[in-house]
Amino acid sequence: MFNTALTLSRSKAFGGFAAMLLAATTFATSALAVTPEELKAKGTATIGVQMDQFPWGFIDPNGQNDGFDIEIAKMIAKELGVEVKFERITGQNRIPLLVNGNVDFLVPSMTITEERAKVIQYVIPYSSNDITVWGKTDADIKGNEDLGKYVIGVNRGSAFEPLLVKVAPPNTEIKRFDDDATTVQALLSGQVDAILGSVTYGLVIKQTGNEAQYGRKYKVSDNFQGMAVRKGDQEMLDFLNDFVTRHTADGTLDALYQKWIGVDRAKLPTTLPGVDFTGKQ
């Protein structure tokens, strides 16, 4: 359960990724462009979602697709008036599948980065996966400066590790673990006083019945996520930007985030440095 619940490929470091993404654009052509009207005429929309990323997208015990992204993808298909066809994506293949035309667009809970924005067209943020400190309830941890008083655990090799080293006082005792599951288990077993990682760690803490003893301390860093279309798919981009804007205003996205992630959805920006959400720059 831990491995499923805590797979966080979106949180991994992006060093060297830009070159691979730029190479992927060689596959994209104007013939792959898709518009809402074309999808309506076809009657289906092929949407790329991750199905091994609880609670964002996963297969439930009945073999059905479920999760935060799945619900949002179904909402989009309903508004388009089309049937939805889910295409399983991974952190490694989601961008090639998009630019190659295997999917019409992505609803991937994918971190927005300047490097990726050179290759794909991001929609304005609809979600976030805040990097968070979780700790013992009685641990007096309110900010980075308090970390030095405790033993802090982190997933070795993840994007969380260098961030922890950067923000923690130099004297902080840091223990590194092989993956997210063992990092959370280290907290629950008393090997460490607190851990730094995904906001979704809280779901596992709750599932194990330990939410009274361990809780969320504070957010260390933002981690904004966006859907994506191909470069040049202006009408599809406009439709999805409008979708996010409307369902932010009416509270639908906030309610879904609370349902699946268990905390309030952050106030998300509509502009970010180095990223064009309009498709016109």
Side-chain angles (χ1 to χ4, degrees):
M1 178 61 182
F2 280 173
N3 287 334
T4 299
L6 294 174
T7 303
L8 297 171
S9 61
R10 67 181 66 82
S11 298
K12 299 302 181 183
F14 302 120
F17 199 42
M20 184 190 78
L21 296 181
L22 288 170
T25 59
T26 60
F27 296 102
T29 67
S30 60
L32 299 177
V34 65
T35 69
E37 291 306 314
E38 287 172 339
L39 294 181
K40 292 175 183 178
K42 185 172 62 171
T44 60
T46 303
I47 305 176
V49 296
Q50 297 191 139
M51 298 180 189
D52 59 353
Q53 297 283 343
F54 180 89
W56 311 99
F58 61 98
I59 307 297
D60 71 14
N62 297 318
Q64 301 299 310
N65 299 313
D66 208 354
F68 178 76
D69 287 338
I70 298 295
E71 285 208 46
I72 289 176
K74 288 180 178 178
M75 286 176 56
I76 294 170
K78 183 177 180 179
E79 292 195 8
L80 286 168
V82 301
E83 296 293 325
V84 61
K85 176 184 176 183
F86 290 115
E87 180 73 22
R88 181 173 183 171
I89 61 172
T90 67
Q92 290 70 43
N93 70 14
R94 56 194 173 191
I95 291 177
L97 286 176
L98 176 64
V99 299
N100 288 344
N102 299 88
V103 299
D104 295 315
F105 55 91
L106 299 175
V107 183
S109 284
M110 177 170 56
T111 298
I112 297 170
T113 70
E114 290 187 49
E115 291 81 8
R116 290 171 175 166
K118 296 173 183 176
V119 178
I120 59 175
Q121 176 61 59
Y122 277 114
V123 179
I124 58 174
Y126 73 112
S127 180
S128 64
N129 188 14
D130 299 338
I131 300 175
T132 301
V133 169
W134 298 89
K136 296 178 178 178
T137 303
D138 59 359
D140 186 19
I141 302 175
K142 298 183 176 67
N144 294 333
E145 65 278 4
D146 298 320
L147 297 177
K149 297 180 288 185
Y150 298 93
V151 180
I152 313 298
V154 69
N155 177 356
R156 179 189 292 111
S158 71
F160 306 139
E161 182 183 8
L163 178 61
L164 176 59
V165 171
K166 178 181 178 180
V167 303
N171 64 321
T172 303
E173 182 179 351
I174 298 175
K175 288 190 175 182
R176 294 164 173 83
F177 301 92
D178 289 337
D179 53 35
D180 295 302
T182 54
T183 302
V184 175
Q185 185 57 37
L187 174 64
L188 301 182
S189 63
Q191 298 177 61
V192 297
D193 301 304
I195 54 177
L196 182 146
S198 169
V199 69
T200 55
Y201 282 7
L203 297 174
V204 176
I205 293 172
K206 182 177 181 179
Q207 289 167 354
T208 57
N210 287 288
E211 58 185 325
Q213 293 79 34
Y214 304 92
R216 187 183 189 188
K217 293 301 182 179
Y218 69 99
K219 181 175 76 172
V220 177
S221 177
D222 292 317
N223 185 5
F224 301 125
Q225 299 170 326
M227 306 179 207
V229 302
R230 283 177 288 277
K231 293 282 190 180
D233 282 9
Q234 189 65 48
E235 292 181 48
M236 199 71 241
L237 172 65
D238 292 343
F239 177 89
L240 292 174
N241 273 335
D242 179 67
F243 175 90
V244 175
T245 299
R246 286 187 291 106
H247 292 302
T248 292
D250 68 17
T252 301
L253 295 181
D254 290 330
L256 282 176
Y257 194 87
Q258 179 63 240
K259 171 185 174 179
W260 287 106
I261 314 304
V263 297
D264 291 337
R265 193 175 70 120
K267 182 176 175 57
L268 302 177
T270 55
T271 61
L272 287 173
V275 180
D276 169 31
F277 294 117
T278 70
K280 300 175 182 177
Q281 294 180 11

